[in-house]
Amino acid sequence: MLIALPIISPFFFGILMMLFWKNFKAHSYLNLFSSVVSVIISVLLIDRVIEQGIITLQIGGWKAPFGIVIVADLFSSIMVVITAVIGFATALYSMATMDHDREKFGYYPLLQILLMGINGAFLTGDIFNLYVWFEVMLISSFVLLALGGKREQLEGAIKYVTLNLLSSALFLAGVGILYGLAGTLNMADLAVKLPNLEDPEMTTVVSILFLIAFGIKSAVFPLFFWLPASYHTPPAAVSAVFAGLLTKVGVYALIRVFTLIFVNDISFTHTIILVIAALTILTGVLGAAAQMNFRRILSFHIISQIGYMIMGLGLFSSLAIAGGILYIIHHIIVKTNLFLVSGFVNELRSTYDLKKLGGLYKLYPLVGLLFLIPALSLSGIPPLSGFWAKYSVIKAGIELDEFYIVAVALFVGLLTLFSMTKIWHEVFWKKNPEEEKTFNTINNTKQKVLSFLPIILLALITIIIGLNVEPFFNIAQKAADQLLNPEIYIKAVLGN
Amino acid sequence: MKTSVILSTAVKYLIPLLLIFSFFLFLRGHNEPGGGFVGGLVAASAFALFAIANGFDEAKKFMKIEPIMLIALGLLIALLSGLVPMFFGLDFLTGIWFEKNFPIIGKLGTPLVFDIGVYLVVLGISTKIIFSLAEEEK
């Protein structure tokens, strides 16, 4: 029962909001309440998973591999917990900044359905069901992206939806071929049946199809173009959720299928993943260097950071995958936070253009500080969370003698720092280029508190992970060990 | 909008027929082609026909309930039908059936309730889309 709640609870609150469609003031409070409930549920879930190992639920009482099964192993439950935390942070931030027009047209119910889709994708144990959750996410994120109907928004949304539909089509084709090959779509059952096929080459072919499909979703090189084209257009709260969570679902799916199902030809597939990772790390950061828009720089950095996570998967050792998982935890928190800060700057100055911004440090030193924490964490400065995530991935690379990618990863760390200093200098340090233009002031205390609270909360989490990394690393390590020993997963789903 | 007398007279007789037909399709869906989805679409077409004959403002009054409410109710009913088995100690969404058959309706159970949800959601979404598109035109 507990394991289905992360999906049921946002769904229920989404419905409740629809029942009170006109009363959009109530939506924001329901949204906040729902996010608190989700945090509680997810913590209970991970607690139980740590205690009892992998837990499963056979939907409708149809036993796996025939029915759809929901599976929570450590990796999924970690993701569910972070999703809930981000849901809570953005619920607060949305209350402060969301405009009435978007609220009137169902911003909050859509957010709930999006969170339901994300949780569903993390928890499902059936590959076609994963496709369905991807569609739930795609549809609701598309509407969230286009809501408001500004020209640039629609332009971004069209690019976003076209490329993501392409990815879905490839995914679906892959699922179809996979079903033709193995006669099952249950992930655990696939893991059992695929090694016994007559021609294992076919499995490799299908795996590349999945690599491309999930690669588009997680915005890896060379399939990332939709991300910087769309993420800087919606309101800050929306782009913060997207930046934090959506691409990471793609990464999750990659890690899941390439540790559980497609492990027959690791020297081939995982080498490709490693090369892609190196190129993703590099192109993302180089793309960011050329940008002069606050959120576009951050969007390009998402791509670069995705590379590090994929690198963990490509190296395919226990430490590497643990590092990758730690990286995901760190990245979601930090990236959401940076987008929230950018949104706050926009509230003050009504622009994201670095050339027009400046002089913020003098007036709002606290905002500057709150930007620095996630920014330095992103570039991997000790003792913040990013340092440990980078450290474990790079250490794994050195252990496996993959020096090229280690060199790339270290070099890009430097460039990331350069990018962050650029933002710091342009937004906070340099003189305000538009002296005559006054700052918007936020007089409303409630609004001030509500927009600061999530930023401070996420910054605190970053610091806590940084100063006390051991429990976080241990749990990532345990999750990685579970992923590298698929027998545990298979046994939990199929019984004996 | 100007409409013909023939159409608006015919619609008066067609709508009950369409609604009954949609209900028939809905019940038939258990073992044969039909079900909540198709039934909902047929019901929505009845309201669309009414709107074409008498105008969309009239149609909205005729529906008496906001399409968005239908969607919400439908989703809620579907969700509840999945939660019911949990009180009997079964897994989420397990189908529970009454032992004996009922006249006309046949077998009764939670999957039928789930299908009512589907019916309402489809009806709500289709009418919502149709009404919204009509408003665009104005």
Side-chain angles (χ1 to χ4, degrees), chain A residues 127-200:
Chain A
I127 204 146
F128 184 75
N129 198 233
L130 181 65
Y131 169 80
V132 174
W133 290 121
F134 267 58
E135 290 303 291
V136 171
M137 268 167 45
L138 182 63
I139 299 289
S140 45
S141 61
F142 177 53
V143 182
L144 279 174
L145 202 56
L147 206 61
K150 279 195 220 119
R151 191 190 163 84
E152 47 161 22
Q153 262 188 314
L154 291 182
E155 198 188 316
I158 285 171
K159 285 175 191 157
Y160 173 83
V161 91
T162 319
L163 274 165
N164 274 291
L165 274 180
L166 189 71
S167 144
S168 296
L170 287 170
F171 184 8
L172 195 60
V175 168
I177 298 172
L178 207 54
Y179 189 64
L181 281 176
T184 178
L185 289 174
N186 182 288
M187 291 196 221
D189 203 29
L190 278 171
V192 173
K193 285 194 175 142
L194 280 182
N196 306 322
L197 284 185
E198 278 167 26
D199 46 342

Side-chain angles (χ1 to χ4, degrees), chain A residues 229-252:
Chain A
S230 59
Y231 272 22
H232 65 285
T233 56
V238 176
S239 59
V241 179
F242 283 20
L245 294 173
L246 286 194
T247 45
K248 260 55 75 187
V249 184
V251 176
Y252 166 86

Side-chain angles (χ1 to χ4, degrees), chain A residues 238-266:
Chain A
V238 176
S239 59
V241 179
F242 283 20
L245 294 173
L246 286 194
T247 45
K248 260 55 75 187
V249 184
V251 176
Y252 166 86
L254 272 178
I255 294 183
R256 176 66 73 204
V257 297
F258 281 96
T259 54
L260 180 64
I261 303 175
F262 302 121
V263 282
N264 60 321
D265 195 358
I266 290 175

Side-chain angles (χ1 to χ4, degrees), chain A residues 1 8 11-12 15 18-19 21 57-61, chain B residues 66 68-69 72 75-76 79 83 86 91-94:
Chain A
M1 174 65 210
I8 295 175
F11 185 43
F12 174 73
I15 295 171
M18 276 196 251
L19 283 175
W21 185 256
L57 173 77
Q58 326 269 352
I59 295 280
Chain B
E66 290 266 328
I68 196 91
M69 282 296 155
L75 288 174
L76 191 65
L79 177 65
L83 291 177
M86 288 176 151
D91 284 335
F92 180 56
L93 276 172
T94 309

Side-chain angles (χ1 to χ4, degrees), chain A residues 231-308:
Chain A
Y231 272 22
H232 65 285
T233 56
V238 176
S239 59
V241 179
F242 283 20
L245 294 173
L246 286 194
T247 45
K248 260 55 75 187
V249 184
V251 176
Y252 166 86
L254 272 178
I255 294 183
R256 176 66 73 204
V257 297
F258 281 96
T259 54
L260 180 64
I261 303 175
F262 302 121
V263 282
N264 60 321
D265 195 358
I266 290 175
S267 60
F268 178 68
T269 47
H270 288 62
T271 310
I272 292 183
I273 294 177
L274 207 56
V275 173
I276 289 176
L279 290 170
T280 311
I281 296 176
L282 201 60
T283 41
V285 88
L286 291 181
Q291 299 299 325
M292 276 314 262
N293 178 304
F294 201 153
R295 284 200 288 181
R296 278 186 85 109
I297 294 180
L298 295 179
S299 303
F300 272 103
H301 275 293
I302 300 176
I303 298 165
S304 170
Q305 307 285 311
I306 296 281
Y308 285 94

Side-chain angles (χ1 to χ4, degrees), chain A residues 24 145 147 159 195 222 245 276 311 321 327 357 379 470 493:
Chain A
F24 54 88
L145 202 56
L147 206 61
K159 285 175 191 157
L245 294 173
I276 289 176
M311 175 181 161
I321 291 184
Y327 214 109
L357 289 164
S379 14
E470 207 167 320
V493 174

Side-chain angles (χ1 to χ4, degrees), chain A residues 50-208:
Chain A
I50 291 171
E51 217 170 83
Q52 304 181 350
I54 299 175
I55 48 177
T56 60
L57 173 77
Q58 326 269 352
I59 295 280
W62 301 97
K63 293 275 170 279
F66 306 109
I68 291 168
V69 59
I70 294 185
V71 190
D73 66 349
L74 259 180
F75 185 32
S76 331
S77 20
I78 290 172
M79 299 304 285
V80 170
V81 172
I82 312 178
T83 308
V85 171
I86 297 302
F88 178 63
T90 42
L92 289 172
Y93 195 80
S94 305
M95 284 175 93
T97 58
M98 201 42 64
D99 49 282
H100 287 328
D101 277 343
R102 286 195 175 78
E103 287 182 333
K104 230 187 318 201
F105 281 99
Y107 165 73
Y108 291 110
L110 277 165
L111 198 61
Q112 289 301 316
I113 301 298
L114 180 70
L115 290 175
M116 171 183 86
I118 293 171
N119 280 339
F122 288 149
L123 287 171
T124 183
D126 182 285
I127 204 146
F128 184 75
N129 198 233
L130 181 65
Y131 169 80
V132 174
W133 290 121
F134 267 58
E135 290 303 291
V136 171
M137 268 167 45
L138 182 63
I139 299 289
S140 45
S141 61
F142 177 53
V143 182
L144 279 174
L145 202 56
L147 206 61
K150 279 195 220 119
R151 191 190 163 84
E152 47 161 22
Q153 262 188 314
L154 291 182
E155 198 188 316
I158 285 171
K159 285 175 191 157
Y160 173 83
V161 91
T162 319
L163 274 165
N164 274 291
L165 274 180
L166 189 71
S167 144
S168 296
L170 287 170
F171 184 8
L172 195 60
V175 168
I177 298 172
L178 207 54
Y179 189 64
L181 281 176
T184 178
L185 289 174
N186 182 288
M187 291 196 221
D189 203 29
L190 278 171
V192 173
K193 285 194 175 142
L194 280 182
N196 306 322
L197 284 185
E198 278 167 26
D199 46 342
E201 287 80 20
M202 274 305 277
T203 318
T204 315
V205 174
V206 183
S207 76
I208 297 302

